[in-house]
Amino acid sequence: MLFRSQITRGAAPRTHYFPEGDVTPTIYAYTKEWSRPSDEAWNRGFSAKTVPDRRWSRVDIKTVCLLPNALAFQAAKDAGADDAILVRDGVAIEGAHQNFWAVFGGTVVTHPTTGHILPGITRAVVLDEARAAGMTVEERPIQIEELALADELFFTGTTGEVRPIREVDGQVVGQGGVGEVTRHLSDLFLARVEPHMAENDFVAGVDFSVADITAFLTVRMANALGMDIAASWPAIAAWFDKVSARPDRKSTRLNSSHSSVSRMP
């Protein structure tokens, strides 16, 4: 299950500066079912198209300004590709909603953390796992001309996890299919996150509605941020108490299409 939330400074009269005085933050959240691609699709790999990066210069700030990302993704879809690779000043920076990686002769490369990328949590985990496994890792710009020389290319992201790229702009990457380094990093990533997914599966049975789950996770998130839920959102706080008190609450696995932590074909 996927949980997504957005928090703003709050609602106030329209100005082009921060509101004066205390403003109650606004929370928007939802949950939806999520599943990984089938093993067949993953082992086949995915296609990508290079698209100009038209985002602003502070991409490292996660905002709701996603129009350039959506337009880039749409351009890729219109061209028959699965994903978009954003290119700025001759550099393949990242995907429309994922970080981008290349493998050259066993060296794993991804763009450094600058204002031009949104450094994802999955990216950080894969970096940790690659270094722990003794791989050579470089954080540097990847020139677009290098894509034709790469042995492997892949994305990382929350919903895509480690996502292999089979071809870019119609050109096959390396030997085609999923490379050994990409597969190894995927297995390392899954082995790292699967135990935590099992620990955090708290929803039991069909009696829980999506609204119940959303309220539960929203309050957990807000509490972690130090927000006073009872004062600001009493209805959500009451909903949280109801869900927490459910006698039939127990751990279950939700919407995972894989029972193992390997992507072997």
Side-chain angles (χ1 to χ4, degrees):
M1 179 162 289
L2 175 67
F3 171 72
R4 182 177 179 85
S5 64
Q6 295 175 348
I7 303 175
T8 73
R9 185 179 297 271
R14 183 177 181 272
T15 65
H16 289 282
Y17 52 85
F18 297 158
E20 299 175 352
D22 294 333
V23 179
T24 300
T26 299
I27 292 183
Y28 169 79
Y30 69 88
T31 55
K32 70 175 185 178
E33 293 185 357
W34 169 81
S35 61
R36 296 181 172 115
S38 68
D39 285 335
E40 179 182 2
W42 192 92
N43 282 293
R44 186 168 56 246
F46 302 91
S47 60
K49 175 177 174 54
T50 55
V51 181
D53 186 359
R54 296 189 172 95
R55 301 171 299 171
W56 71 321
S57 61
R58 289 305 308 273
V59 176
D60 56 314
I61 301 174
K62 192 174 181 68
T63 73
V64 296
C65 182
L66 296 176
L67 179 58
N69 305 64
L71 291 174
F73 208 175
Q74 187 63 49
K77 289 294 184 182
D78 289 344
D82 299 312
D83 297 289
I85 299 174
L86 303 181
V87 178
R88 181 189 298 235
D89 297 329
V91 175
I93 294 184
E94 62 180 348
H97 60 102
Q98 305 168 99
N99 292 122
F100 178 63
W101 303 66
V103 180
F104 301 100
T107 298
V108 183
V109 182
T110 192
H111 197 283
T113 301
T114 68
H116 291 319
I117 74 164
L118 181 64
I121 295 173
T122 305
R123 174 185 179 275
V125 172
V126 172
L127 279 172
D128 285 347
E129 292 298 327
R131 287 171 173 143
M135 297 181 185
T136 302
V137 177
E138 294 181 1
E139 294 183 64
R140 64 164 179 83
I142 301 170
Q143 302 297 319
I144 191 170
E145 295 83 3
E146 293 184 273
L147 300 186
L149 305 175
D151 298 308
E152 304 175 32
L153 299 174
F154 62 93
F155 293 110
T156 57
T158 299
T159 56
E161 300 181 312
V162 177
R163 184 175 172 89
I165 303 172
R166 178 186 70 252
E167 64 180 55
V168 176
D169 294 337
Q171 300 299 311
V172 174
V173 177
Q175 300 300 313
V178 183
E180 292 183 5
V181 174
T182 302
R183 188 179 302 281
H184 187 38
L185 287 172
S186 176
D187 288 346
L188 290 173
F189 175 80
L190 292 176
R192 171 93 168 259
V193 302
E194 284 285 335
H196 297 288
M197 293 175 70
E199 290 172 4
N200 290 315
D201 282 333
F202 60 88
V203 182
V206 296
D207 291 337
F208 270 121
S209 69
V210 170
D212 287 333
I213 299 167
T214 303
F216 189 92
L217 291 173
T218 300
V219 174
R220 287 182 60 171
M221 175 197 66
N223 285 340
L225 294 173
M227 295 180 176
D228 187 352
I229 290 294
S232 300
W233 303 281
I236 292 182
W239 214 341
F240 177 78
D241 291 340
K242 181 192 76 170
V243 175
S244 300
R246 283 284 298 274
D248 59 343
R249 181 176 159 224
K250 62 180 182 294
S251 177
T252 61
R253 285 306 312 276
L254 291 178
N255 303 310
S256 177
S257 62
H258 302 279
S259 59
S260 67
V261 293
S262 176
R263 287 286 199 172
M264 292 302 293

